[in-house]
C-alpha cells in the first residue's frame, strides 16, 4: 500500500539476449495527498520506467544488491 513517506525504487528495464536487465534509475516518494515525487539519476532510453516498493536493507549474499530487487542474469549487461 502506498502511504505518505513511503520510499519507492525506480527502474529502467531493458530486454537483452539473456533476459531482462534492471537498471536502478532513481527513487520516488509518496506525498501526503498520494501523489509521487520522482527523482531520477538516469533517463531511460525507451521512455519507460518501473516503480516498486524499495527494499529496506542490503542483501550481501546477493552481491550487495538491495533485498527484494530482481537479480540480474549472469553474463548479461555491462559494456559491449
Amino acid at each position: 500500500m502506498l502511504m505518505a513517506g513511503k520510499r519507492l525504487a525506480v527502474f529502467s528495464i531493458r530486454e537483452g539476449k539473456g533476459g531482462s536487465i534492471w537498471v536502478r534509475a532513481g527513487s520516488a516518494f509518496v506525498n501526503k495527498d498520494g501523489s509521487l515525487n520522482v527523482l531520477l539519476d538516469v533517463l531511460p532510453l525507451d521512455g519507460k520506467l518501473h516503480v516498486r516498493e524499495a527494499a529496506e536493507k542490503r542483501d550481501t549474499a546477493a552481491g550487495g544488491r538491495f533485498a527484494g530487487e530482481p537479480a540480474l542474469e549472469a553474463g548479461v549487461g555491462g559494456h559491449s
Side-chain angles (χ1 to χ4, degrees):
M1 175 183 251
L2 296 180
M3 296 173 32
K6 186 164 220 53
R7 191 183 94 206
L8 304 168
V10 180
F11 295 92
S12 174
I13 305 171
R14 302 290 310 271
E15 295 299 325
K17 294 177 186 176
S20 298
I21 302 169
W22 289 59
V23 178
R24 181 77 182 250
S27 300
F29 301 90
V30 180
N31 297 313
K32 290 180 184 178
D33 65 358
S35 64
L36 296 174
N37 285 348
V38 180
L39 307 171
L40 297 177
D41 298 319
V42 298
L43 296 175
L45 295 175
D46 60 4
K48 298 177 187 176
L49 293 171
H50 176 83
V51 180
R52 63 171 46 214
E53 290 187 21
E56 293 299 320
K57 61 181 180 177
R58 285 193 173 268
D59 179 2
T60 55
R65 295 185 48 76
F66 287 103
E69 289 181 10
L72 296 177
E73 297 287 331
V76 176
H79 299 286
S80 49

